[in-house]
Amino acid sequence: MEEWNFPPSYRNDYFPDANSPYWFRDRETMDPEKRDELIVARIREVMAYAYDHSPFYQRKWDEAGIKANDIRTLADFEEVPVVTKQELRDSQAKNPPFGDYLCCPESDIHHIHGTSGTTGRPTAFGISRRDWETIANNHARIMWGMGLRPGDTVFVAAILSLYMGSWGALIGAERLGCKAFPFGAGAPGMTARAVTWLGMMKPAGLYSTPSYALRLAEVAREEGVDPREFGIKVLFFSGEPGGSIPSIRDKIQQIYGAKVVDCGTMAELTPWMHASGSADTEGMLLWQDVVYTEVADPKTNRRVPYGEQGTPIYTHLERTSQPMIRMVSGDLTHWVMEDNPCGRTYPRLPKGIYGRIDDMFQIRGENVYPSAIAEVLEGLSGYGGEHRIIISRGGSMDELAVKAEFDQEVAGRGPDAVRSLGEKAEAELSRVLGVRARVVMVEPDTFPRTDFKAQRVVDDRDLYQSLNQKRGG
Ligand code: 8LH
């Protein structure tokens, strides 16, 4: 059925009917129970393959006493031990450079990439030519679902080195028959140049992080350009929360006059677009026939029912070089199974991925996500576009302070307008978060902007103490 094989073998000249909203209608719209049956059979094949080709999986599953053939249901699969990032690092340290979960001969490796984080031992991705083509085919299919079409120009405005996001968007656009523009990001002066090139190329699609799309719009305005003049149809974002946060999504849609689609999971899980919205469906669909995703209780690693919150655990169904089988993400989301406006029968993450469990902090018993704070501020008219979250864990009670920029318009209206915006932000944050948040309004452009993923949490106890003294608190 529609090239759903393992090992995958896609025809690189395949295109759906030009009027079809689906790349593979059957795979995308089939009865989900039928799909689950096929997924179970595919899991057995992928597990047997990984066991035969990798000492890593042999060790892991022998220790757990699990064999591919034991997996008869999706519930059986929950018995399979999860893979953590640390295990991948350890495997690569002992078996450099690709680890003993590399399931193809090193001579088959076509691309080397790696994790983009700056702390800890980086992880190397060794991707075979077959996998590279599979990734391109999967991303082209999902980008078709976003409404992009052959001949469209796709502008990749993200760092093109150690970030799989940019490469994944690029090869998807190439396979889709688009005019792919690997513009990149991150070099000095590059955002202003992006404004010029966007004006010249008028791309149908733009890929970046949500934070960078906001930055790009600011710079465009500084250059006297209205971002709507770029004529973009679809902005597809990954890398951080934002594309499924209504206040942020709506603001960006309004600024660019374009549709925002949220996508993306983890570099290890490339084809990372396997969680992605579509032209008609907001949030993220889980394209389960590409990567099987379980939203699970982080303590038990077992699926939670639809409607509940958990951490995504991912399993490649179409990768042969470094397949991830039950890789635990450490992110948080909640999933639902409903009729989707686009007709695809996948489960959906209506609010996308909120953030990492590690980034969540507790203030007087309440769980607070940085993305929830961004959501509130972006919804306030007069907010200047950047903020920092300051957590104090020094005293007997945890305290939360937010430094938020006001915009030029509020600045022009004077101190009363600034104070009133601060009070409004404080009231709204306290209402939404369920805990008191102190807000300090700061001048426009106080904080540096990012051309990658935003980092806004500051654990700065000294600053908090001086703030307390000023307020006599
Ligand atoms: C997200 C999202 C999203 C990623 N909403 N959080 O960009 C896709 C891939 C290549 C990527 O960013 O991989 P990387 O650098 O390994 O980072 C993975 C983390 O990024 C992931 O665990 C999430 O915390 C976050 N992330 N896409 C919310 N659409």
Side-chain angles (χ1 to χ4, degrees):
M1 182 224 311
E2 291 174 335
E3 309 190 44
W4 198 11
N5 308 306
F6 188 83
S9 54
Y10 283 106
R11 275 176 30 218
N12 287 326
D13 59 354
Y14 167 83
F15 279 95
D17 183 284
N19 297 319
S20 170
Y22 311 113
W23 184 270
F24 288 145
R25 180 180 293 271
D26 288 354
R27 284 175 66 169
E28 291 166 39
T29 62
M30 68 167 55
D31 173 2
E33 283 185 18
K34 173 77 189 147
R35 183 187 294 118
D36 284 352
E37 278 170 30
L38 296 170
I39 288 173
V40 172
R42 178 56 38 86
I43 285 173
R44 279 198 300 272
E45 284 177 289
V46 176
M47 282 182 70
Y49 169 87
Y51 189 88
D52 287 347
H53 292 84
S54 119
F56 175 87
Y57 284 116
Q58 279 164 23
R59 244 185 352 260
K60 208 169 165 60
W61 298 339
D62 283 351
E63 269 169 31
I66 283 183
K67 292 193 171 40
N69 264 335
D70 297 342
I71 311 304
R72 294 283 140 194
T73 63
L74 291 177
D76 292 341
F77 187 53
E78 294 171 13
E79 303 287 332
V80 174
V82 295
V83 172
T84 64
K85 268 179 179 273
Q86 190 55 46
E87 281 175 289
L88 302 182
R89 280 192 210 108
D90 293 347
S91 165
Q92 295 202 342
K94 285 191 200 123
N95 304 276
F98 298 108
D100 62 349
Y101 56 96
L102 182 70
C103 293
C104 67
E106 250 192 75
S107 55
D108 281 6
I109 291 179
H110 168 64
H111 259 239
I112 299 174
H113 292 269
T115 47
S116 57
T118 48
T119 52
R121 189 184 203 281
T123 304
F125 308 133
I127 307 175
S128 66
R129 181 177 292 276
R130 178 198 280 270
D131 277 5
W132 196 249
E133 286 184 5
T134 301
I135 294 161
N137 273 277
N138 277 313
H139 280 189
R141 170 183 168 200
I142 294 162
M143 289 166 70
W144 178 280
M146 294 178 192
L148 291 164
R149 290 292 176 270
D152 283 345
T153 296
V154 173
F155 193 96
V156 178
I159 290 167
L160 271 150
S161 59
L162 287 174
Y163 180 48
M164 271 318 288
S166 321
W167 293 94
L170 178 66
I171 64 172
E174 286 174 351
R175 169 62 184 87
L176 188 52
C178 295
K179 299 192 255 318
F181 189 173
F183 186 82
M190 207 145 172
T191 308
R193 276 185 286 159
V195 171
T196 308
W197 279 100
L198 286 165
M200 281 158 58
M201 291 299 155
K202 306 251 183 280
L206 180 131
Y207 169 75
S208 71
T209 60
S211 296
Y212 191 56
L214 286 165
R215 171 68 189 146
L216 194 55
E218 276 182 354
V219 173
R221 288 195 179 123
E222 282 162 25
E223 306 276 315
V225 177
D226 178 347
R228 288 178 171 247
E229 291 170 27
F230 301 146
I232 296 167
K233 276 194 314 193
V234 180
L235 297 142
F236 57 116
F237 295 145
S238 77
E240 60 177 2
S244 297
I245 297 179
S247 61
I248 299 179
R249 179 185 62 214
D250 296 351
K251 181 175 175 177
I252 299 176
Q253 292 191 149
Q254 203 271 331
I255 290 174
Y256 284 89
K259 167 102 202 148
V260 163
V261 177
D262 189 13
C263 59
T265 60
M266 300 167 77
E268 289 82 354
L269 267 300
T270 306
W272 52 258
M273 279 186 207
H274 66 90
S276 174
S278 71
D280 301 312
T281 302
E282 289 179 340
M284 296 202 272
L285 295 164
L286 298 173
W287 298 59
Q288 297 289 51
D289 49 320
V290 177
V291 170
Y292 170 60
T293 301
E294 303 162 272
V295 174
D297 179 330
K299 291 198 190 82
T300 61
N301 295 322
R302 290 185 163 274
R303 275 174 302 165
V304 297
Y306 289 123
E308 290 189 14
Q309 172 174 283
T311 191
I313 296 180
Y314 301 117
T315 297
H316 273 134
L317 300 183
E318 305 217 321
R319 282 282 302 269
T320 54
S321 40
Q322 287 172 322
M324 291 294 110
I325 298 170
R326 297 207 88 215
M327 176 159 193
V328 67
S329 62
D331 286 319
L332 272 176
T333 186
H334 83 273
W335 64 347
V336 296
M337 189 51 142
E338 296 167 347
D339 288 345
N340 296 309
C342 65
R344 291 181 180 81
T345 51
Y346 296 125
R348 191 169 69 96
L349 312 179
K351 295 178 77 182
I353 295 169
Y354 326 141
R356 301 199 51 75
I357 298 176
D358 301 348
D359 292 345
M360 184 188 82
F361 46 91
Q362 278 212 330
I363 302 289
R364 276 168 262 128
E366 291 290 332
N367 292 340
V368 178
Y369 307 102
S371 63
I373 294 173
E375 176 169 11
V376 169
L377 295 175
E378 290 287 358
L380 288 178
S381 119
Y383 168 59
E386 258 307 338
H387 63 276
R388 292 294 177 269
I389 299 163
I390 300 130
I391 314 160
S392 155
R393 298 190 178 109
S396 57
M397 285 212 289
D398 294 338
E399 298 285 353
L400 169 65
V402 177
K403 288 179 114 186
E405 292 177 359
F406 48 88
D407 67 11
Q408 294 293 355
E409 191 268 333
V410 172
R413 286 196 283 121
D416 283 351
V418 174
R419 193 173 320 110
S420 138
L421 178 62
E423 283 165 9
K424 210 162 152 195
E426 224 166 62
E428 198 52 18
L429 282 169
S430 304
R431 186 183 69 78
V432 172
L433 306 177
V435 288
R436 192 166 64 107
R438 288 189 163 187
V439 174
V440 182
M441 298 308 297
V442 298
E443 296 285 326
D445 290 321
T446 297
F447 300 116
R449 269 44 177 174
T450 182
D451 39 31
F452 193 39
K453 309 188 188 195
Q455 296 288 347
R456 297 193 167 115
V457 180
V458 186
D459 195 351
D460 190 340
R461 292 159 211 196
D462 293 347
L463 183 111
Y464 194 82
Q465 266 155 19
S466 69
L467 211 137
N468 265 346
Q469 277 154 15
K470 241 201 288 189
R471 293 199 179 201

